Amino acid sequence: MPTPEIVTSRSAKSKPAEAQKAAVRKGDSGAALSDEELHMLIAQAAYRLAQQRSFAPGHELDDWLAAEAEVKQSIGLS
């Protein structure tokens, strides 16, 4: 499976800490997602998973990790 491509702007290279936040990921589909967009998709999926189990406490990390894997697979990043 191909490794996702990370694309940054010239200004992002001058600010190493901020460069990671400005990074854009391209999966197999060729669609570009910012870190913020990726985070939002994962958060929405984690919320949906928590909702499906009636928000029972103690599974927040499991929900997040499952959502992260689901989203990354669906956009071709894993």
Side-chain angles (χ1 to χ4, degrees), residues 2-65:
T3 304
E5 175 185 348
I6 304 281
V7 180
T8 59
S9 66
R10 284 188 188 185
S11 62
K13 290 181 182 177
S14 63
K15 302 175 191 173
E18 293 300 314
Q20 295 305 317
K21 293 189 183 275
V24 177
R25 289 180 170 75
K26 289 188 175 184
D28 294 337
S29 66
L33 287 176
S34 68
D35 285 344
E36 186 176 309
E37 291 168 322
L38 181 61
H39 186 272
M40 182 59 69
L41 289 173
I42 294 168
Q44 291 170 345
Y47 182 88
R48 180 181 40 79
L49 291 172
Q51 188 177 37
Q52 288 174 352
R53 57 174 181 72
S54 300
F55 299 102
H59 300 282
E60 295 83 4
L61 180 59
D62 294 333
D63 291 339
W64 186 269
L65 295 175

